Amino acid sequence: AEAGHYLERAWKAMFESDMPDAIKCSGHFGQKKGEEVCCNQSTASKPVRIELPWTICREGRPLCSGMVDGSGWGTCMPADLGERV
């Protein structure tokens, strides 16, 4: 059996099948699980970490834009559009 929390396993399948380019995101390409999420959602008094590694944007759409902690995922954007907070 695959390691990890059962919800992580269920969400991973959703992101990999329904969102092949990781359109829904919490981190920029190159970030790793455990690092702070994108979009200025983490502060010194309330750090917010990437918990699901498959919610990190892929190289083809490397910038995660618009993620709001506790409210909604961001969207992976092409590099030439730039990050929108």
Side-chain angles (χ1 to χ4, degrees):
E2 184 179 353
H5 189 275
Y6 75 96
L7 286 177
E8 285 188 16
R9 292 191 305 269
W11 292 343
K12 180 179 181 183
M14 177 190 73
F15 274 89
E16 289 179 343
S17 64
D18 296 340
M19 301 297 178
D21 292 325
I23 300 299
K24 295 179 180 178
C25 60
S26 64
H28 303 300
F29 174 72
Q31 287 188 278
K32 297 186 180 352
K33 179 178 177 176
E35 293 182 359
E36 292 184 0
V37 297
C38 74
C39 312
N40 299 317
Q41 296 300 300
S42 193
T43 64
S45 62
K46 185 185 175 228
V48 181
R49 308 259 179 226
I50 297 171
E51 296 179 18
L52 306 171
W54 49 89
T55 64
I56 297 168
C57 291
R58 297 187 180 155
E59 189 172 10
R61 298 174 70 96
L63 299 176
C64 186
S65 180
M67 187 261 191
V68 178
D69 181 45
S71 181
W73 297 105
T75 302
C76 292
M77 308 291 283
D80 58 351
L81 291 180
E83 181 182 4
R84 299 174 188 187
V85 179

